[in-house]
Amino acid sequence: MDRTQIAEFAQSLRGQVIGVGDVGYDDARKLYNGMIDKRPMIIARCADAGDVMAAVNFGRDRRLPIAIRGGGHNGPGFGSVDDGLVIDLSTMKGVRVDPRNRTVRVGPGCTTGEVDHATHAFGQAVPFGIISTTGVAGLTLSGGHGYLSRQYGLAVDNLIEADVVLADGSFMTASEAENADLLWALRGGGGNFGVVTSFLFRTHPAKMLYGGPIIFDVGDAAEVMRWYRDFQAKAPEDFYIFLGLQSVPGGAPFPPEHWNKQMCVLVVAHNGEGGEVAVNAIRAALPKPLIDWAGPIPYTALQTLFDALYPAGLQWYWKGDFVRELPDVAIDAHLLHASKASPGSCMHLYPVDGAVHRRGKADSAWNARDVTWSMVIAGIDPDPGMAPALKKWATDYWQAVHPFDLGGAYPNFMMDDEGDERIQASYGDNYPRLAALKGKFDPANLFRVNQNIRPAI
């Protein structure tokens, strides 16, 4: 393309077009994962759905690879593409709460923290993740699990409606009453089916919780993990706990005597009556912790607890699995490989049971309605020189525990080198229907910079 074509495209948008060599290009192309560096030809920073329609048409007609960027938190770097077009939605940030109907309409550039702030004023929340800087769009479209999932379901279970720009540049609203097959696909099928320009979510009560981290010495990790495995099976749905194997961060507010110690952490979140009593029962059942910061906490504060540990620009390499059981031999493998982690790296087990299990496998694209946990193994470090070591550690760890896990994983915990077999395993019996819908809404696979579902012919 010549610069005249790009200039004409820029004049057709309310938003901004940034090209190679333009002021701000390097900042605009930066990704959350510092391990990934891409150089798009054009970044279209859209202001509204009309801009998105124009951008989709421009990229398709010129056969450019297209990446969609929402909140910009994507681990494998799918928010950008070399020598192509980035449709950047980051400035489309509107949030409107309807307290009477308990819904919230959200722009695709919002982070979960921005939505939390708006809904918290009404004592409500959408079940999102555990880091408030995460983008709503990417988290939701691949499922979305977090502190409220056991009680209220996944983010996709609470997605009522979406406005979507399709591959042919047309605009469509998907709901259970209108274009229900598209809504079914959006509820877990990722960015494969179009560009979502507006989300409508159901909200739920969540104001003050009893929660926070309880940190144990790594010498007690096997006991804690066995307790956690057994407790999870009978935990009430308003009591969420995720487990981590990692190191105590080396800085305030953590006590200096524990900096960089390996640990096992339980992050508890009780959103109901009797939270303190429930957590005290845990305290009585487990070894004495190194640090216990669980207590009354606003939901918004719980959501931001770990933001500072994971700023943009760190080196990331992660592997995920869905997990149904955690036998002792698997615990042994976890502890062996977690002991080799660099200080910033971690393994987390997130519960995806409770309310998630009350929906059928075929009710939405998200197929994992009978698993117990979503696991992520994340190699994380600020030093670019650590990238090869992070990848090796995470891969070795995953290979050791994967035989005890299921075939698929949460798509948001997969890198760009997983392969079709892993993607198909993640969607299970729903994959053929997803491929058929991909063939209906995006037959040329225009939206392929993602965990790609290939269109059925």
Side-chain angles (χ1 to χ4, degrees):
M1 286 188 300
D2 59 37
R3 296 195 67 83
T4 300
Q5 290 177 301
I6 297 174
E8 290 175 351
F9 173 52
Q11 289 176 358
S12 72
L13 301 188
R14 287 185 61 223
Q16 181 184 17
V17 171
I18 304 169
V20 179
D22 287 346
V23 174
Y25 172 77
D26 284 332
D27 282 338
R29 71 182 182 88
K30 283 181 181 177
L31 296 172
Y32 180 78
N33 187 349
M35 195 180 288
I36 301 171
D37 183 37
K38 295 184 179 180
R39 300 187 65 86
M41 182 186 298
I42 306 167
I43 300 168
R45 191 163 281 166
C46 298
D48 54 28
D51 280 2
V52 175
M53 295 166 73
V56 168
N57 289 332
F58 179 84
R60 183 197 61 247
D61 291 347
R62 287 155 184 80
R63 298 185 179 182
L64 294 174
I66 295 175
I68 312 302
R69 181 170 183 168
H73 203 272
N74 186 268
F78 290 139
S80 188
V81 61
D82 286 322
D83 302 318
L85 168 65
V86 173
I87 299 179
D88 186 342
L89 313 175
S90 62
T91 60
M92 296 173 63
K93 282 184 175 289
V95 180
R96 184 182 184 280
V97 180
D98 181 346
R100 175 175 296 178
N101 292 311
R102 293 191 173 184
T103 63
V104 59
R105 186 167 291 280
V106 180
C110 289
T111 64
T112 62
E114 289 165 339
V115 179
D116 291 338
H117 176 78
T119 57
H120 189 69
F122 301 94
Q124 297 284 302
V126 179
F128 288 138
I130 67 159
I131 303 288
S132 80
T133 56
T134 306
V136 167
L139 176 120
T140 296
L141 292 175
S142 286
H145 58 67
Y147 292 119
L148 301 177
S149 297
R150 300 191 74 247
Q151 191 172 16
Y152 301 134
L154 304 167
V156 289
D157 297 336
N158 293 279
L159 177 62
I160 301 170
E161 181 181 288
D163 293 337
V164 189
V165 176
L166 301 178
D168 63 1
S170 64
F171 179 90
M172 180 177 286
T173 296
S175 68
E176 291 183 354
E178 180 182 11
N179 303 307
D181 56 349
L182 179 56
L183 182 66
W184 182 91
L186 295 175
R187 286 173 166 168
N192 277 282
F193 302 95
V195 185
V196 178
T197 61
S198 177
F199 296 84
L200 181 65
F201 294 101
R202 184 179 300 106
T203 66
H204 299 275
K207 187 74 171 182
M208 287 295 298
L209 282 69
Y210 194 95
I214 304 176
I215 297 173
F216 301 89
D217 185 87
V218 71
D220 296 319
E223 180 181 350
V224 173
M225 291 184 76
R226 287 192 294 269
W227 173 89
Y228 177 65
R229 171 192 65 197
D230 298 337
F231 177 82
Q232 182 66 34
K234 58 182 183 294
E237 291 184 357
D238 58 3
F239 197 1
Y240 176 100
I241 307 175
F242 84 77
L243 180 141
L245 297 175
Q246 55 198 100
S247 297
V248 178
F254 297 92
E257 64 270 21
H258 297 314
W259 286 359
N260 298 319
K261 280 184 181 178
Q262 290 190 326
M263 66 170 177
C264 177
V265 58
L266 298 177
V267 181
V268 304
H270 194 289
N271 184 38
E273 298 295 327
E276 184 173 7
V277 172
V279 175
N280 281 341
I282 290 177
R283 290 172 170 131
L286 289 170
K288 181 177 175 60
L290 298 176
I291 301 168
D292 184 346
W293 284 338
I297 186 170
Y299 178 69
T300 49
L302 184 66
Q303 284 283 77
T304 61
L305 276 183
F306 307 110
D307 290 2
L309 299 179
Y310 303 114
L314 298 179
Q315 305 290 301
W316 284 81
Y317 188 86
W318 54 26
K319 300 283 288 184
D321 267 345
F322 287 131
V323 181
R324 186 174 292 146
E325 298 177 346
L326 190 64
D328 287 350
V329 64
I331 290 174
D332 292 342
H334 276 287
L335 295 177
L336 174 62
H337 287 272
S339 69
K340 303 173 185 178
S342 62
S345 300
C346 64
M347 186 286 298
H348 288 171
L349 286 170
Y350 301 106
V352 289
D353 55 353
V356 180
H357 286 190
R358 292 204 294 273
R359 295 190 178 229
K361 282 175 169 284
D363 289 351
S364 64
W366 174 282
N367 181 256
R369 299 291 179 175
D370 59 352
V371 307
T372 311
W373 297 281
S374 173
M375 178 196 73
V376 64
I377 299 164
I380 309 168
D381 197 276
D383 180 7
M386 283 290 291
L390 296 175
K391 183 173 182 178
K392 184 178 188 309
W393 172 79
T395 302
D396 289 349
Y397 191 154
W398 179 82
Q399 289 175 343
V401 299
H402 182 63
F404 308 105
D405 302 336
L406 302 177
Y410 181 33
N412 282 339
F413 290 159
M414 297 164 67
M415 296 298 287
D416 61 353
D417 54 1
E418 300 280 351
D420 288 346
E421 185 176 339
R422 277 276 281 172
I423 295 170
Q424 292 180 28
S426 298
Y427 291 111
D429 294 340
N430 287 342
Y431 190 85
R433 182 179 178 187
L434 285 164
L437 290 171
K438 178 74 169 179
K440 175 181 177 179
F441 293 110
D442 184 15
N445 205 10
L446 182 70
F447 302 120
R448 61 185 179 273
V449 183
N450 47 39
Q451 298 296 356
N452 195 234
I453 297 167
R454 301 180 188 276
I457 299 173

